[in-house]
Structure formats: structure tokens, C-alpha cells
Amino acid sequence: MDGVYTADPRLVEDAHKLDEITYDEMLELASLGAQVLHNRSVEMAKRYNINLEVLSSFSGQPGTIVKEVTKTMEKPYVSGVAKDKDIARLAVVGLADEPGIAFKIFSILARERINVDIILQSIGRGGTKDISFTVRHSDMDRAKELLEERQSALGFDHVDVVDDIAKVSIVGAGMVNNPGVASQMFEALYNAGININMISTSEIKVSVLVNKEDADRAVQAIHARFFNQFGNAN
């Protein structure tokens, strides 16, 4: 890889290389499936405020600088689109709608060092609610087993597991100043006929769960929306 691209160039033909990207954006992309830099290297660079450059040792061409602040940081733009197919979604169905239930569930998983990502809790109805969340695919069976071992104590009906899903995300420091970014992403998926299962947002990230078979098309549709139609490039 000769730099950080707006998407995987093997998947998106017109993905282009970024001149620079912030530490926070790079950390998000790395955690969301962009296999460019290891999280730890970016974390260390950020801690000591050391610029990193992602480049090819063969071409000798300039790469992408990873730094604290970039010259385009204040613009409402998206730096990249990433996908992660190595996930599974678990739904704990029929939980009692009472305080402390979420703590009990996630403390069980935390003790086993199972990392949880996207979390969605339904509105309680009839005294019960559901809690859905994602884990790494390798943790799927263990997470389900741990919860089912404590079914009586937790008081739920069953655990539903779906593993044919993928997480598709956009990342950009400028998103915090542009509330329309998420709606543009959702519109791109709607126009492509792709259904969204779950949504997670932060100041610089929007992630959605889609069917795994739709993941590549979702990346292409979102990239086209932000980088082709609007010329939104670094």
C-alpha cells in the first residue's frame, strides 16, 4: 500500500490516495476494517505527537501523512469508507425492562474480554425489551454460550445470532460540523436498494450494519455519493 485511500482500491476503482489524515480518523478507519496501519502504531504516534507517513518502499512516491491536525480538518468532508465482514450480531430477546439489565449482560462479556461494538436497545413494551450488539465473529459462539449459561439469572427468552452481516462506515473529522452527512450516506444506501439493520454514530464516524452480500455494493455506493457526485476529496 502506497498510502491511505478513500476506500479499498481493490473494490472501488476511483478510490484515491489522501495526502494527509488525522490520528483520530486513522484510528477509526483501522478499527473499522481498513487494513493499512495497526491501531497501536497510530495510538503511540498520537501520544507523542509524531507524524507518520504511509507509503510504499518500492515506488519512492509521497504517501499519506498521519498527523494531529490537517489543513482540511474544518471542511465538511468524509475521509474514507471502510467495511468489516468479520462481525456477528447477537440479540438478547425478552429481557425484563428494569434497571441494571444492560450492566449485567455486558459485565459478563467484559469479564471474558469479549469486545462489544454497536449496541441497540429496544423501547420497553409489555415489561420486556431486547438488546442487540455486535462482536467479532470469533467471539460469537462464546458470547452466546456465556449468556445462555446465565439465562435464568438474566431472565430472557432467547439469544438470536446473525453472522451474515457486515459493518460499513464513513469517517471524517469534518462530519461534526455537517449534520447532513449521515442522511447522505443513508440516501446512497436507499438508492442502491440496501437495507440498514443497525446504526452507530460518533463525532467523526457513522457505521451501519448491512447484509454481508450487500457490503461491497454499499461501499461503492457510499464512495460514489461522497467522492464522485460532490467532488468531496482531500
Side-chain angles (χ1 to χ4, degrees):
M1 187 70 73
D2 60 351
V4 180
Y5 280 73
T6 52
D8 186 340
R10 296 168 298 183
L11 176 63
V12 180
E13 287 186 6
D14 55 354
H16 64 268
K17 185 171 64 178
L18 299 168
D19 295 328
E20 53 186 23
I21 190 170
T22 68
Y23 296 129
D24 290 339
E25 289 172 318
M26 191 66 248
L27 282 169
E28 288 285 8
L29 286 172
S31 68
L32 295 169
Q35 300 175 349
V36 180
L37 285 176
H38 193 280
N39 290 22
R40 184 63 175 161
S41 65
V42 184
E43 289 170 355
M44 294 299 293
K46 180 178 179 179
R47 177 180 299 177
Y48 296 104
N49 197 27
I50 298 171
N51 289 357
L52 293 177
E53 184 173 8
V54 183
L55 75 169
S56 170
S57 58
F58 299 102
S59 69
Q61 299 297 315
T64 302
I65 303 295
V66 185
K67 56 198 296 190
E68 181 65 34
V69 180
T70 68
K71 62 178 179 288
T72 55
M73 190 169 181
E74 297 304 320
K75 294 183 180 180
Y77 77 113
V78 171
S79 292
V81 186
K83 69 171 181 180
D84 184 359
K85 293 184 175 180
D86 187 25
I87 63 170
R89 191 217 71 196
L90 282 75
V92 188
V93 180
L95 286 160
D97 187 16
E98 60 185 31
I101 285 294
F103 163 71
K104 292 176 182 178
I105 289 174
F106 295 116
S107 63
I108 290 169
L109 302 177
R111 283 196 296 269
E112 294 293 321
R113 304 184 67 83
I114 294 177
N115 187 49
V116 175
D117 187 15
I118 299 177
I119 302 172
L120 176 66
Q121 178 174 296
S122 68
I123 298 174
R125 288 188 175 88
T128 66
K129 62 186 177 184
D130 306 335
I131 295 180
S132 302
F133 56 91
T134 60
V135 298
R136 307 305 301 173
H137 197 277
S138 58
D139 291 327
M140 176 184 68
D141 292 336
R142 182 57 176 154
K144 183 174 186 289
E145 178 184 5
L146 287 167
L147 293 171
E148 289 180 338
E149 286 174 354
R150 295 160 176 81
Q151 184 171 2
S152 297
L154 293 171
F156 61 84
D157 183 68
H158 67 279
V159 178
D160 181 57
V161 178
V162 177
D163 64 353
D164 60 343
I165 58 170
K167 178 170 60 178
V168 178
S169 309
I170 55 173
V171 173
M175 286 167 47
V176 67
N177 297 317
N178 185 1
V181 170
S183 66
Q184 293 174 24
M185 177 185 187
F186 302 154
E187 182 182 18
L189 295 173
Y190 166 71
N191 289 336
I194 297 172
N195 188 48
I196 299 173
N197 297 312
M198 291 174 68
I199 302 168
S200 173
T201 65
S202 72
E203 288 188 340
I204 67 169
K205 175 194 72 176
V206 181
S207 295
V208 297
L209 293 188
V210 300
N211 294 337
K212 186 176 291 187
E213 63 183 12
D214 293 328
D216 290 352
R217 285 199 306 116
V219 171
Q220 292 162 352
I222 294 167
H223 189 275
R225 174 70 175 178
F226 286 104
F227 294 96
N228 295 358
Q229 182 171 344
F230 294 107
N232 185 4
N234 196 359

